[in-house]
Amino acid sequence: MGVLITVLVLLAAVGLVLLALSLRSVQQYEMGVVFRFGRLLPDIRGPGLRVIRPIGDRMQKVSVQTEVLGIPPQGSITADNVTLTVDAVVYFRVIDPVKALVNVRNYPSAVSQIAQTSLRAVIGRADLDTLLSDRDHINAELKKVMDAPTEEPWGLRIERVEIKDIALPESMMRSMSKQAEAERERRARVIAADGEFQASQRLSDAAATMADTPGALQLRLLQTVVDVSAEKNSTLVMPFPVEMLRFFEHQSRETDGESARRSSARPALPELPELITPAPPTARAVSLSGERVGSGGERIGSRAAVARERRDNWPAQADSESDASRAHG
């Protein structure tokens, strides 16, 4: 009886071991490929708890997640003979687990190698300007080149290829910086010239408007004076406006014309005989014993008194001299 119990216990233990060996757990992001005595079974086991034969069957799980593979920096020469170093990153995933296990060994390493060769080939067909300015086109071409040998034969799909960095030589970087600086300077000069052209057109229109309205030029001059005087740090020289000179000239012409009209309208006086008798000469101051004597007989001793005497007798002397000149004429 004891031997029977022992045998039953051994059989139960062996059954449990075999059951444990026949059960496999497949995750949601995995696919199970079963080989029976080395031969591939057509059925691919999906996610969940799967049962296989404990003896002779071997299950290998393949992840169907998107994997990220970094491409080491690759030295290459562009189509315009520029040496540079480029590194990239590849996103791929398994779409056919059977092909990924049977047709290629260590498919991540295979993808890395084909990515490196494709990267050098694509860079060699593109020039530097395209590589720097149109990376989307380069990435699309890389994806297309890598899809051909990986998707159909290996069961891998290249989802995306991105160029991460482009390392240029120091001399090329200096040349590119000079080129960019020259391009920016050219654009600045073109913009400045365009601005001057537009400003000249506006100034021409403004000059035509001011020529039609002379007062506008005077207003603009006054506005300029106001703007300059607001700073209070310079001496302002105000030019005399030509319009004001023309105004005074016009007024003087009108005054001369009015005087001429009045003189022509005034009647001529008849000629009269010379009835003007010379006025008696005004007595002048004479010196008696070193003193000055005025016209009235008073003595003038100081220079101030002499000056007052001359000032008082000046109108009479002027009249007598004018009468004398007329009589002689």
Side-chain angles (χ1 to χ4, degrees):
M1 187 66 182
V3 176
L4 182 60
I5 294 174
T6 303
V7 172
L8 292 176
V9 170
L10 290 176
L11 291 175
V14 171
L16 291 175
V17 172
L18 293 177
L19 181 62
L21 293 176
S22 62
L23 293 178
R24 293 291 184 272
S25 176
V26 181
Q27 301 296 327
Q28 182 66 37
Y29 54 86
E30 294 176 338
M31 299 293 289
V33 180
V34 180
F35 294 90
R36 181 170 295 173
F37 295 106
R39 182 180 180 182
L40 176 68
L41 296 181
D43 295 335
I44 297 177
R45 309 302 170 89
L49 187 63
R50 300 301 174 182
V51 180
I52 61 174
R53 292 181 183 183
I55 300 175
D57 286 354
R58 182 175 59 89
M59 178 182 286
Q60 190 166 353
K61 301 176 184 178
V62 178
S63 175
V64 294
Q65 289 178 315
T66 299
E67 298 186 21
V68 182
L69 181 63
I71 302 177
Q74 301 296 314
S76 180
I77 300 177
T78 61
D80 50 353
N81 298 324
V82 178
T83 304
L84 46 81
T85 304
V86 183
D87 57 349
V89 59
V90 180
Y91 301 87
F92 71 96
R93 66 184 181 90
V94 177
I95 58 176
D96 193 342
V98 176
K99 291 181 179 181
L101 290 176
V102 176
N103 295 347
V104 61
R105 182 181 180 181
N106 191 7
Y107 61 86
S109 177
V111 171
S112 176
Q113 294 299 321
I114 198 171
Q116 295 178 24
T117 56
S118 300
L119 180 61
R120 287 194 294 268
V122 171
I123 296 301
R125 292 196 298 267
D127 55 1
L128 181 60
D129 293 337
T130 304
L131 186 62
L132 295 176
S133 61
D134 195 4
R135 288 194 180 184
D136 293 338
H137 176 71
I138 301 298
N139 295 335
E141 190 173 356
L142 272 173
K143 180 179 180 300
K144 183 179 179 181
V145 170
M146 293 180 63
D147 272 338
T150 56
E151 185 171 1
E152 184 63 27
W154 297 349
L156 304 174
R157 175 172 295 173
I158 306 299
E159 294 185 343
R160 193 170 184 178
V161 182
E162 292 286 344
I163 295 178
K164 292 195 301 183
D165 187 23
I166 300 175
L168 296 173
E170 188 68 24
S171 59
M172 180 59 63
M173 293 179 64
R174 288 195 299 268
S175 300
M176 292 178 63
S177 63
K178 291 180 180 179
Q179 180 182 2
E181 184 178 358
E183 180 66 20
R184 287 192 297 268
E185 185 176 358
R186 183 188 67 84
R187 292 180 182 178
R189 291 183 178 179
V190 169
I191 293 173
D194 190 13
E196 291 181 358
F197 176 72
Q198 295 179 3
S200 63
Q201 288 183 338
R202 295 298 182 183
L203 288 174
S204 177
D205 297 340
T209 303
M210 290 182 179
D212 295 337
T213 307
L217 182 61
Q218 182 64 23
L219 293 177
R220 182 58 182 168
L221 176 61
L222 295 177
Q223 182 64 35
T224 304
V225 171
V226 171
D227 295 339
V228 173
S229 61
E231 299 180 0
K232 298 180 180 179
N233 58 357
S234 59
T235 302
L236 180 63
V237 178
M238 181 63 182
F240 197 76
V242 180
E243 287 77 6
M244 189 171 294
L245 293 177
R246 292 177 180 174
F247 173 76
F248 288 142
E249 181 181 2
H250 181 67
Q251 292 294 328
S252 62
R253 288 180 180 177
E254 290 184 353
T255 304
D256 295 341
E258 185 68 24
S259 302
R261 286 195 299 271
R262 290 180 180 178
S263 61
S264 61
R266 184 178 301 171
L269 296 177
E271 295 183 0
L272 297 177
E274 294 183 0
L275 300 177
I276 302 174
T277 57
T282 305
R284 298 183 180 180
V286 296
S287 176
L288 297 176
S289 65
E291 294 182 356
R292 300 283 294 179
V293 180
S295 58
E298 69 276 6
R299 294 182 179 179
I300 302 174
S302 62
R303 293 184 178 180
V306 174
R308 283 196 303 271
E309 177 64 21
R310 290 182 178 180
R311 184 188 60 189
D312 294 340
N313 296 333
W314 178 78
Q317 295 176 4
D319 293 341
S320 62
E321 291 177 358
S322 62
D323 293 343
S325 62
R326 290 178 182 178
H328 288 290

